[in-house]
Amino acid sequence: MTLGGCSGDGGSGGGPDGPARTEAASRDREAATPSPSRTYPLSSAPATIPAVRVHEPARGPGWRPEPGAGVVIAKGSEGLDDEGRLLAGELKIAFRGTAAARPGDVELALTAPPSPPPAQGALTGPESYTVVTGGGRVRISGPAEAGVFYGTRTLKQAVRSGGAMPEGTVRDAPGRPQRGLMVDIARKPFTAGWLEDRLREMADIKLNQLGLHFSDDQAFRIQSDTHPEIVSREHLTKAQVRRILELAASLHITVIPEIDSPGHLGAVLDHYPELRLKDAAGRTVPGAIDISKPASATLVDELLREYAQLFDSRYWNLGGDEYQALTRRDPEASFPALAALARERYGPQGRIQDLATAWVNDRAAAVRPLGRVPTAWNDGFFRGGRVSVDKDVEVQYWTGKEIGARQPDEYLAEGRPVVNLNDEYLYYVLGEPNEFTYPTGERIYEQWTPLVLRGTAPVPRKYSGQILGARFAIWCDIAGAQTPERIARGIALPLRATAQKVWDPRPPARDWQGFQALAERLG
């Protein structure tokens, strides 16, 4: 300061060099003092459906799909190429294959499962994943391709809902292994394109099963080579089904076929009238096959074997529901020939329900050697008979309204695995017949959980481990009541609410209005 004051004309700074020196000194001081770093608030969890289960916040700008960004695959994880290509296309950034991640990139990686196995309840398993966002990059990892794929869905939704993937770490995994949608394509034809659109919609909300009910009294909807005569005019070709299955596999969705029997076979029996069940008065029973005739089993097993070659699903739905012989008040009086056969096979106490149960077991025996896990509707399981459904047949619990229907606790107490298709919440029945009403997303979101198997009351929590998951179901009882486009709009919110409740066992953090607004943002 003293030296500066003595320079020039009495230190006035009025000389020709004074102002320039002062400005230069000021600039030097500014350059020598570092600018304060930009600070960020702690991040919030990405806005997704279903919501992520754990988000560890951090400070930073997050990640956006900027120009020059790309998706890369970690070395040794080349099986993730399909997931990487799909994500890159959705985010409109480059796909560079197996390469080192650069600033701005998204890296996909397979990781070894934890050893020793983690404690029960940890977010692990083949559908678990981790997303780490920091340093301008994103790394999505998991022990299997399915989990990494779900991580890409989280990233896609985060960018769509908020413009960026928030800084920090996401750890996520589903609460239930079975999460899906079932479509009745027998009573109402749907195009392959409509079903493919549903698969893409399901994948984004982390659903992993599509059930296809393709045979019923009204129609048989998939091409058959062994019995072409039974196929309805409007149907899917096997080539179309193979494309559906290929898309489903790429989205980590299993397609579960159903040829319902011994009821709901009307379209097949139109061509085999000699196999129709008749009562004591000689009247034909709609949709019911005569389970006393060996030719009936031969016909159905031929179809099961044919379609097992088309569908490579782990699961097979055998049906078993609403066999009309058992909806009569006194089945043995109405069908004396069946009653006599039951007594012949199972002794004096044998009943027609034993024949129906044996039918389900025989069909399970037909698909089991083909590598399938058999499932059946809950009203195909009866109490008090001489024959019980095989223990490995999964129960699809849909109703308590049928004659003799059993409480879900009975199945659970027997140790049976159960999948939830509660008709009180999860049944979208076209035309709303038989006191059905279209389900709402709000009611599912606020009232239903996977423990609510029948009506509105949950089963005891001790059975939670036996409830494998849930599927939302579209039934086309009055086929013309809605167009396929209207159905797609009508199920959108209920399906998303189901996805949330089956992914995370905890009460949702968002209220219904917030969830609905998020669903609209995500599209």
Side-chain angles (χ1 to χ4, degrees), residues 1 15 24 69 72 102 144 163 197 321 324 346 369 381 397 429 452 499 507 518:
M1 294 293 294
V72 300
R102 305 190 309 214
D197 286 344
D321 63 309
Q324 294 301 303
Y346 305 112
F381 295 70
Y397 199 99
V429 184
V452 181
L518 175 58

Side-chain angles (χ1 to χ4, degrees), residues 7 12 93 115 128 133 151 165 187 200 213 228 254-255 319 330 344 360 366 383 390 412 429 446 466 480 515-516:
S7 64
S12 67
I93 58 179
S115 181
S128 66
T133 305
M165 181 68 191
R187 294 181 177 94
R200 296 185 183 95
H213 177 90
T254 295
V255 180
D330 187 347
E344 177 186 329
V360 171
R383 69 161 70 89
D390 293 341
L412 295 164
V429 184
E446 293 185 342
Q466 290 171 238
F515 183 86
Q516 188 174 16

Side-chain angles (χ1 to χ4, degrees), residues 433-448:
N434 302 320
E435 300 182 355
F436 282 107
T437 58
Y438 292 124
T440 68
E442 182 176 8
R443 190 161 180 253
I444 295 168
Y445 192 75
E446 293 185 342
Q447 300 179 17
W448 177 82

